[in-house]
């Protein structure tokens, strides 16, 4: 109940992040004798918003475009069309100094805790880099002591600043990545599969840390993940993506309790339950995810959908609000 | 700004420490590297300190003692003009070293610069790489002969001719390394925390591109030493009044049957120098391999 | 003593050490396992606990050096696999005992068609001519539900999706009717809907063929759905072994309990139970395997650790008829 109350309260405020019809298409190289250019429509018209202090999770299988969407918001790839409004300002076409000014409001935590830290930089320098970039502290002493403070905030020790990343375990490195992400006091953190590469016991530590930091610093998370159990634990709202489009978007409890889109249903049914007493009589979804180079016409899910009818193979469904705050992209739900 | 510099300085200390450890480990694992390194250092020392090792002028012609066998007054014998081969060999080593080191430095710095640009700024990539392909099509020896033809033989010309033809190879290497590095998540992370392009190149890409570059530089150095020798042998290299291993062998070749030492001594030193540099390069490649540094 | 089908694989006191630049790494330290005919045993643990090394040791697939099996026996069919001559073990691999891996792309030869790869396995181990081997390969591809078998037979691994490739691996592994299938993280690299397909396939094929499965995984959800018995590994040792229902309902070892508590679960909204805001975590990190503690490996992270735990390592002792625990405090914990 409290979740709904909070949602209602924040409804009036402008969202922190607002995507309108965001598209990211990757042009494929034209092959010899090929007349038309092919494009991978990694993100194909996504509209959503992230409110202050909420966690919006994006779930979907590999290739659904969720990571590309995160990279587009971070402006690591250029959007093909649509707008990205961060705190009211459209950053989708900005570059150089003006983009730089907006970057500090959103930071990122990446999946691979081994590859996301420069191997030849010390931990202190890695965490101090954003502080130095934006001149938020003056002098190297201040920057170093701030880095040490941040290490303690994320549960490491200040003296770890003088070590190299390879001296740490995966979970500890992810803490370092989180320390770097909160260094600039951002409003939004994009967590791109931030706990996916971690072992269960370490994953619990990092999830707890992310939630503690959210409370302490009033952070908003765009939490990109494929593990539905983690998503259920951490989210305020959840969006399900399939082949570059959002197929369902709702409050967490609504989505997990009463999923409407057949894909969401199948996704939830496929998760193995860590409890042998629950019999798993589940409808396994057949087939593979189609190639995003050549997605099926109409509803992208029609090739695997048990309920697909002729209309689904011709006409693309739009994302409609079928109940308050519950959006589904399906002709028949 | 300075904190990163500060951490860098700390880095240097630990890195020197690390090199010390690495050398000790290498000694047990790879004695040929240590022996090759020792041979190279010895050759460098005798070349650099050549004036201290001998009083005789390598250019002084003395008809009375021409074609003296090695031993006695002249440890390495004399050549057809009676010049002291001992002095000439060590002074000749200086030319080889100057050419080798200069070419390696020029090619590495220029190659690093263009390679970073081509690898990181994709718009400039095809332009730079096509120019490099063009340069690669020029045979180094012909370029040197052409340069000598329009100007006159000089060590500087030799260095320029060899360096220009080596640059494209370094550019290709650096570019391919940068292409891999720029896709690394830590580069994305650096972009997200507002690091400028210069900062990314300087702090995140350059340090990780150095290891393969250093290895490549040693091989370029060895290749340049050989190229200098055969350019000089052909008369298109070091002018004949300056002794170099190449022109010594060229002058000695007609006396090979009567005075083989004139060819064999500089030839032997040339081989030793090239061999030692190559061994060092191989050893560095093993040592700087990131998979091994992780374990160290 | 427990009754059941006869054991087909008995591993006794296996220890494996790796030599590295940083010194020896003690990956497996005295692991004993018994696998019975037709049974599915899950070997569970977090990365670096030695579960994959244990699995690879069975078919002697570890590269030596750096790996060195320092002690133990693995008896299969009355002979010790660790002592067999190389030619003999080769005739067992892929035939009586076969294996599937996490990443099917790296286990398939990229320049041979998948049909040819399966045919070769069959031709190597089974009597009969080429035609019969080919028929068997087609039959296997059909059995793992590869659509359009004849066309797929002539395709190369890169033309297939990840899920399809794993199906091909399973077809190849089961082509010679193995008595034991070792599955090393078979679904870890796959998406959740594909993972469900592959697990369903594995379980169905197990029903049909009666092969025993040693399932190596870190995913407790997969364990709950597929295994009959579970062995939990921590830092190179088995610390608890029990039937699957008991592990989930009544785990005795503090590590197993901590692990089960720390998994995020999809909340059961119908029971109406409150959801904890914080996940219970296991504090600390896994001990370094270059210098493993002589005492209980888990003592440094254990909420129940007492003086005895820091002095000597607890043996894996049976607590109930079929539930074994390696913990000095197992009784108090229960």
């Amino acid at each position: 109940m409290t979740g709904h109350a909070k949602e209602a309260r924040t409804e009036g405020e402008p969202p922190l992040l607002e995507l309108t019809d965001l598209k990211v298409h990757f042009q494929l190289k034209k092959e010899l004798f090929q007349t038309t250019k092919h494009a991978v429509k990694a993100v194909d018209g996504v509209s959503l918003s992230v409110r202050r202090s909420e966690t919006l999770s994006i779930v979907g299988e590999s290739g659904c475009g969720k990571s590309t969407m995160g990279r587009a918001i971070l402006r690591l790839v250029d959007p093909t069309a649509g707008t990205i409004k961060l705190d009211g300002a459209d950053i989708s076409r900005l570059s150089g100094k003006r983009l730089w000014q907006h970057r500090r409001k959103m930071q990122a935590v990446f999946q691979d805790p081994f590859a996301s830290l420069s191997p030849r930089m010390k931990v202190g320098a890695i965490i101090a880099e954003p502080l130095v970039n934006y001149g938020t502290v003056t002098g190297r002493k201040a920057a170093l002591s701030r880095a040490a403070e941040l290490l303690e905030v994320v549960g490491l020790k200040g003296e770890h600043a003088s070590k190299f990343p390879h001296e740490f375990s995966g979970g500890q490195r992810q803490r370092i990545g989180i320390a770097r992400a909160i260094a600039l006091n951002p409003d939004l953190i994009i967590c791109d599969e931030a706990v996916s590469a971690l072992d269960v016991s370490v994953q619990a530590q990092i999830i707890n840390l992310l939630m503690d930091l959210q409370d302490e610093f009033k952070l908003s998370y765009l939490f990109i993940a494929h593990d539905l159990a983690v998503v259920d634990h951490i989210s305020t709202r959840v969006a399900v993506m399939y082949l570059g489009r959002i197929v369902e978007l709702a409050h967490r409890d609504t989505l997990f309790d009463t999923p409407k889109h057949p894909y969401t249903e199948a996704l939830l049914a496929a998760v193995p339950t860590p409890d042998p007493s629950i019999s798993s009589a589940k409808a396994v979804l057949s087939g593979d995810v189609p190639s995003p180079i050549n997605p099926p016409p109409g509803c992208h899910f029609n090739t695997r959908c048990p309920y697909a009818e002729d209309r689904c193979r011709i006409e693309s469904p739009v994302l409609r609000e079928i109940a308050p705050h519950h959006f589904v992209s399906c002709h028949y739900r | 700004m300075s904190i990163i510099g500060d951490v860098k300085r700390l880095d240097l200390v630990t890195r020197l420490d690390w090199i010390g450890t690495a050398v000790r480990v290498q000694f047990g694992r790879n004695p040929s590297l240590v022996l090759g390194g020792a041979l190279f250092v010895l050759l460098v020392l005798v070349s650099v300190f050549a004036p201290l090792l001998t009083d005789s002028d390598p250019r002084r012609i003395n008809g009375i003692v021409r074609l003296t066998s090695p031993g006695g007054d002249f440890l390495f014998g004399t050549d057809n003009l009676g010049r002291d081969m001992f002095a000439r060999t060590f002074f000749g080593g200086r030319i080889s070293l100057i050419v080798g080191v200069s070419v390696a430095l020029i090619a590495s710095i220029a190659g690093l610069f263009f390679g970073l640009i081509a690898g990181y700024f994709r718009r400039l990539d095809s332009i730079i790489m096509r120019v490099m392909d063009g340069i690669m099509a020029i045979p180094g020896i012909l370029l040197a002969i052409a340069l000598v033809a329009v100007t006159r033989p000089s060590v500087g010309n030799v260095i320029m001719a060899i360096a220009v033809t080596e640059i494209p190879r370094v550019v290709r290497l650096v570019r391919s390394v940068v292409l891999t590095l720029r896709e690394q998540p830590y580069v994305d992370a650096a972009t997200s925390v507002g690091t400028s392009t210069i900062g990314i190149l300087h702090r995140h890409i350059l340090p990780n591109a150095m290891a393969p570059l250093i290895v490549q530089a040693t091989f370029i150095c060895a290749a340049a030493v050989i190229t200098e020798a055969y350019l000089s042998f052909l008369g298109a290299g070091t002018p004949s009044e300056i002794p170099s291993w190449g022109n010594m062998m060229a002058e000695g070749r007609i006396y090979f049957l009567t005075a083989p030492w004139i060819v064999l001594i500089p030839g032997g030193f040339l081989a030793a120098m090239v061999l030692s540099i190559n061994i060092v390069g191989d050893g560095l490649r093993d040592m700087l391999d990131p998979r091994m540094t992780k374990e160290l | 003593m427990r009754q059941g089908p006869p054991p087909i694989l008995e591993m006794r006191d296996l220890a494996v050490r790796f030599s590295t630049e940083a010194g020896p790494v003690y990956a497996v330290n005295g692991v004993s396992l018994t696998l019975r005919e037709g049974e599915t045993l899950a070997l569970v643990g977090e990365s670096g606990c030695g579960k994959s090394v244990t699995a690879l040791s069975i078919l002697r697939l570890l590269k030596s050096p750096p790996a060195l099996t320092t002690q133990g026996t693995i008896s299969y069919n009355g002979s010790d696999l660790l002592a067999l001559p190389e030619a003999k073990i080769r005739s067992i691999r892929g035939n009586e005992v076969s294996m599937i891996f996490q990443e099917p792309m790296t286990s398939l030869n990229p320049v041979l068609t998948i049909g040819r790869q399966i045919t070769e396995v069959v031709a190597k181990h089974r009597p009969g001519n080429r035609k019969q081997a080919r028929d068997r390969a087609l039959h296997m591809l059909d059995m793992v539900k590869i659509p359009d078998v004849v066309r797929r037979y002539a395709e190369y691994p890169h033309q297939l999706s990840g899920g399809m490739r794993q199906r091909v691996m399973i077809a190849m592994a089961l082509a010679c009717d193995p008595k034991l299938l070792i599955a090393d993280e078979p679904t870890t690299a796959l998406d959740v809907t594909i993972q469900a397909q592959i697990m369903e396939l594995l379980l169905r094929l197990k029903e049909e063929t009666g092969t025993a499965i040693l399932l190596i995984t870190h995913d407790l959800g997969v364990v709950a759905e597929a295994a009959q018995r579970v062995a939990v590994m921590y830092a190179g040792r088995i610390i608890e072994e029990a039937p699957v229902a008991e592990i989930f309902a009544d785990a005795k070892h503090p590590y197993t309990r901590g692990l089960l508590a720390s998994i995020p679960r999809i909340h059961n909204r119908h029971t109406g139970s409150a959801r904890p805001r914080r996940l219970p975590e296991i504090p600390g990190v896994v001990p370094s395997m270059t210098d493993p503690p002589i005492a209980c490996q888990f003592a440094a992270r254990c909420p129940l650790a007492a003086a005895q735990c820091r002095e000597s390592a607890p043996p894996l002792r049976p607590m109930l008829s079929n539930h074994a625990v390696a913990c000095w405090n197992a009784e108090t914990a229960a």
Side-chain angles (χ1 to χ4, degrees):
Chain A
M1 276 302 113
T2 48
H4 286 291
K6 193 177 173 188
E7 196 176 71
R9 184 171 51 75
T10 50
E11 208 105 297
E13 293 176 32
L16 176 61
L17 177 77
E18 192 173 12
L19 307 182
T20 314
D21 203 23
L22 183 70
K23 289 181 182 173
V24 184
H25 296 180
F26 295 110
Q27 224 44 245
L28 293 180
K29 270 206 177 143
K30 222 164 92 170
E31 305 256 330
L32 201 60
F33 306 123
Q34 198 172 294
T35 46
T36 50
K37 266 193 176 176
H38 282 288
V40 179
K41 297 178 176 175
V43 180
D44 199 19
V46 165
S47 302
L48 55 80
S49 56
V50 180
R51 300 170 196 155
R52 288 183 192 274
S53 311
E54 82 161 346
T55 301
L56 174 68
S57 290
I58 313 288
V59 294
E61 297 180 279
S62 46
C64 74
K66 56 189 193 296
S67 283
T68 306
M69 189 181 89
R71 289 171 57 79
I73 297 167
L74 286 166
R75 291 296 318 275
L76 296 170
V77 291
D78 287 329
T80 312
T83 59
I84 303 165
K85 269 192 185 166
L86 180 67
D87 208 6
D90 184 0
I91 60 162
S92 57
R93 303 281 175 273
L94 295 185
S95 64
K97 188 92 182 164
R98 294 181 59 199
L99 177 60
W100 182 80
Q101 283 164 346
H102 288 279
R103 271 196 197 285
R104 61 181 302 171
K105 289 183 218 153
M106 58 172 179
Q107 292 293 304
V109 179
F110 297 89
Q111 170 171 16
D112 187 341
F114 289 86
S116 57
L117 306 175
S118 283
R120 285 170 203 265
M121 274 171 85
K122 290 207 169 172
V123 166
I126 290 173
I127 298 174
E129 190 169 27
L131 301 169
V132 172
N133 286 340
Y134 287 94
T136 48
V137 288
T138 42
R140 67 161 194 273
K141 260 204 178 138
L144 264 182
S145 68
R146 180 78 189 119
E149 273 172 41
L150 285 163
L151 280 170
E152 278 168 22
V153 170
V154 298
L156 294 171
K157 296 196 182 94
E159 62 258 35
H160 284 153
S162 56
K163 290 188 170 184
F164 283 102
H166 70 253
E167 297 173 67
F168 295 89
S169 69
Q172 288 173 318
R173 287 174 182 225
Q174 205 58 310
R175 287 177 194 269
I176 296 167
I178 292 169
R180 169 176 60 191
I182 60 170
L184 292 169
N185 277 323
D187 299 316
L188 173 69
I189 294 186
I190 292 171
C191 301
D192 187 0
E193 302 272 13
V195 299
S196 306
L198 305 172
D199 273 318
V200 198
S201 69
V202 180
Q203 180 176 289
Q205 295 174 6
I206 301 298
I207 291 172
N208 286 340
L209 174 66
L210 286 172
M211 295 179 84
D212 292 345
L213 293 173
Q214 178 165 44
D215 292 346
E216 196 176 338
F217 299 108
K218 303 278 168 284
L219 293 168
S220 301
Y221 291 131
L222 185 74
F223 194 85
I224 297 164
H226 67 269
D227 185 332
L228 286 156
V230 172
V231 165
D232 185 24
H233 187 84
I234 206 169
S235 314
T236 318
R237 290 186 303 142
V238 181
V240 181
M241 269 183 93
Y242 190 77
L243 281 177
R245 295 178 185 167
I246 288 181
V247 297
E248 186 159 5
L249 169 66
H251 188 272
R252 171 193 60 191
D253 289 334
T254 318
L255 190 110
F256 279 85
D257 225 13
T258 52
K260 288 294 180 210
H261 198 281
Y263 179 63
T264 314
E265 283 174 4
L267 211 53
L268 285 171
V271 181
T273 325
D275 186 350
S277 63
I278 295 172
S279 62
S280 55
K282 58 190 177 195
V284 173
L285 202 57
S286 63
D288 283 316
V289 182
S291 155
I293 301 173
N294 212 348
C299 173
H300 284 349
F301 188 57
N302 77 56
T303 53
R304 301 174 81 194
C305 183
Y307 315 107
E309 292 180 24
D310 287 344
R311 183 181 174 198
C312 305
R313 297 183 189 97
I314 301 158
E315 189 187 331
S316 279
V318 290
L319 195 66
R320 324 171 269 132
E321 191 164 11
I322 57 154
H325 313 302
H326 191 167
F327 298 85
V328 179
S329 160
C330 178
H331 293 308
Y332 297 103
R333 296 296 166 110
Chain B
M1 288 296 133
S2 50
I3 169 164
I4 287 174
D6 187 53
V7 175
K8 269 272 163 57
R9 232 169 296 135
L10 275 168
D11 273 11
L12 189 67
V13 176
T14 49
R15 216 170 283 174
L16 287 176
D17 236 27
W18 172 82
I19 288 171
T21 320
V23 166
R24 274 192 297 281
V25 171
Q26 285 296 327
F27 192 79
R29 182 169 38 206
N30 195 351
S32 69
L33 165 66
V34 179
L35 290 178
L39 177 60
F40 179 65
V41 170
L42 184 74
L43 288 168
V44 170
L45 288 179
V46 295
S47 304
V48 170
F49 296 108
L52 304 177
L53 296 175
T54 173
D55 304 330
S56 48
D57 181 346
R59 278 180 283 189
R60 187 165 157 266
I61 295 171
N62 184 350
I64 302 161
V65 292
R66 62 193 293 269
L67 300 177
T68 312
S69 310
D73 284 348
F74 300 99
L75 198 56
F76 287 0
T78 59
D79 68 2
N80 53 319
L81 298 176
R83 293 174 292 195
D84 181 7
M85 285 290 292
F86 187 78
R88 287 179 70 75
T89 302
F90 292 152
F91 277 89
R94 299 178 134 194
I95 298 299
S96 293
L97 272 178
I98 289 169
V99 172
V101 172
S102 313
V103 168
L105 275 178
I106 293 172
S108 301
I109 292 168
L112 183 65
F113 180 75
F114 290 113
L116 279 177
I117 292 178
Y120 199 79
F121 302 99
R122 308 294 296 135
R123 276 159 214 265
L124 296 173
D125 182 34
S126 49
I127 300 171
I128 291 177
M129 291 323 287
R130 292 302 79 77
V131 172
M132 291 302 147
D133 288 348
I135 295 176
M136 247 182 158
I138 304 171
I141 298 174
L142 289 188
L143 179 66
I145 293 171
L147 268 178
V148 170
V150 295
T151 56
R152 56 184 185 79
S154 79
V155 178
N157 277 343
V158 172
I159 292 173
M160 279 324 295
I162 307 174
V164 164
T165 48
E166 290 289 351
I167 287 172
R169 253 180 276 183
V170 185
V171 173
R172 285 189 164 202
L173 172 85
V174 174
R175 172 181 172 270
S176 73
V177 171
V178 172
L179 283 179
T180 328
L181 291 176
R182 70 198 295 272
E183 300 299 331
Q184 291 296 311
Y186 58 78
V187 172
D188 282 347
T191 312
S192 313
V193 298
T195 307
S196 62
T197 307
I198 301 283
I200 285 173
L201 286 173
H202 174 66
R203 287 201 292 273
H204 298 276
I205 290 188
L206 192 60
N208 295 299
M210 283 314 283
L213 182 67
I214 290 171
V215 173
Q216 180 75 6
T218 58
F219 293 130
I220 289 177
C221 179
V225 169
I226 293 186
T227 312
E228 184 280 329
Y230 61 61
L231 282 177
S232 300
F233 190 90
L234 294 174
T238 311
S240 56
E241 65 270 20
I242 306 171
S244 91
W245 291 339
N247 61 26
M248 286 163 72
M249 292 193 313
E251 285 166 23
R253 71 187 191 278
I254 44 174
Y255 303 96
F256 188 69
L257 288 177
T258 49
W261 61 87
I262 307 178
V263 171
L264 292 182
I265 289 173
F269 271 82
L270 177 69
M273 170 87 82
V274 171
L275 183 69
S276 69
I277 298 173
N278 278 330
I279 291 174
V280 169
D282 273 336
L284 281 177
R285 180 171 52 199
D286 292 346
M287 212 171 79
L288 297 172
D289 189 312
R291 273 165 300 173
M292 285 178 57
T293 45
K294 234 176 238 164
E295 284 166 17
L296 271 174
Chain C
M1 285 316 306
R2 65 189 136 163
Q3 294 297 311
I8 58 163
L9 186 86
E10 283 195 276
M11 182 184 289
R12 287 286 157 264
D13 217 16
L14 180 79
V16 182
R17 191 177 72 198
F18 286 83
S19 43
T20 69
E21 295 287 335
V25 171
Y26 300 90
V28 177
N29 303 307
V31 163
S32 300
L33 275 180
T34 303
L35 198 64
R36 291 167 190 281
E37 274 179 13
E39 175 183 54
T40 303
L41 172 67
L43 194 56
V44 191
E46 299 183 276
S47 42
C49 72
K51 57 187 191 299
S52 280
V53 174
T54 305
L56 291 167
S57 310
I58 297 171
L59 285 175
R60 301 221 311 250
L61 291 171
L62 290 169
K63 238 186 215 111
S64 178
L68 184 66
T69 307
T70 49
Q71 62 173 47
T73 56
I74 301 174
S75 78
Y76 168 80
N77 234 351
S79 49
D80 181 4
L81 292 180
L82 295 178
L84 283 183
E86 188 61 32
K88 196 85 181 82
I89 195 104
R90 241 181 269 137
S91 75
I92 291 177
R93 266 183 217 148
N95 184 22
E96 291 176 55
V97 181
S98 57
M99 197 153 177
I100 53 178
F101 298 91
Q102 174 174 347
E103 189 23 83
M105 192 63 202
T106 51
S107 339
L108 289 169
N109 186 336
V111 297
L112 295 181
T113 63
I114 56 161
R116 175 146 175 222
Q117 295 187 52
I118 303 175
T119 307
E120 273 179 7
V121 173
V122 177
K124 193 170 137 199
H125 294 297
R126 283 167 70 108
N129 59 26
R130 201 79 196 167
K131 166 87 172 58
Q132 284 166 317
R134 191 187 128 90
D135 287 347
R136 176 77 184 161
L138 285 168
H139 171 73
M140 290 312 298
L141 286 174
D142 193 44
M143 211 163 124
V144 296
K145 293 241 179 89
I146 299 249
D148 203 358
V149 171
V150 179
R151 183 168 65 87
R152 293 291 182 187
Y153 183 94
E155 287 193 343
Y156 292 89
H158 70 91
Q159 292 170 287
L160 305 177
S161 69
M164 284 293 168
R165 282 197 288 264
Q166 196 58 288
R167 283 170 193 267
V168 171
M169 282 306 296
I170 293 171
M172 200 185 295
L174 296 179
C176 299
D177 286 327
K179 293 208 176 59
L180 170 61
L181 175 67
I182 303 169
D184 188 359
E185 303 269 9
T187 60
T188 305
L190 304 173
D191 277 317
V192 60
T193 59
I194 309 298
Q195 174 178 323
Q197 292 172 5
I198 297 295
M199 282 319 294
E200 193 203 49
L201 173 72
L202 262 183
L203 294 181
R204 183 173 58 77
L205 291 177
K206 184 188 129 71
E207 288 297 306
E208 285 171 18
T209 60
T211 174
I213 297 181
L214 179 62
L215 177 68
I216 318 295
T217 182
H218 70 276
D219 187 332
L220 288 157
V222 169
V223 172
E225 293 194 344
Q228 279 138 26
R229 267 190 319 129
V230 183
V232 183
M233 273 189 90
Y234 182 76
R237 294 189 187 155
I238 289 180
I239 51 104
E240 184 158 11
E241 193 190 323
V244 67
E246 277 209 42
I247 282 281
F248 283 89
D250 189 20
K252 304 286 187 202
H253 197 285
Y255 173 69
T256 316
R257 290 163 160 245
L259 199 60
L260 285 166
S262 64
I263 339 170
R265 294 159 195 257
I266 292 187
H267 188 60
N268 188 340
R269 287 164 174 84
H270 304 292
T271 58
S273 58
R275 172 205 303 267
R277 166 100 175 132
R278 290 181 64 89
L279 289 165
E281 30 181 279
I282 304 176
V285 291
V286 178
S288 154
M289 300 306 282
T290 49
D291 185 22
I294 307 152
C296 175
Q297 314 270 40
F298 191 58
R301 305 173 73 186
C302 182
L304 304 172
Q308 189 185 15
C309 306
R310 299 193 184 87
E311 277 156 22
S312 57
L316 189 68
R317 298 174 295 171
M319 278 197 61
L320 303 161
S321 63
N322 51 10
H323 192 152
V325 186
C327 176
W328 294 122
N329 298 315
E331 285 83 3
T332 42

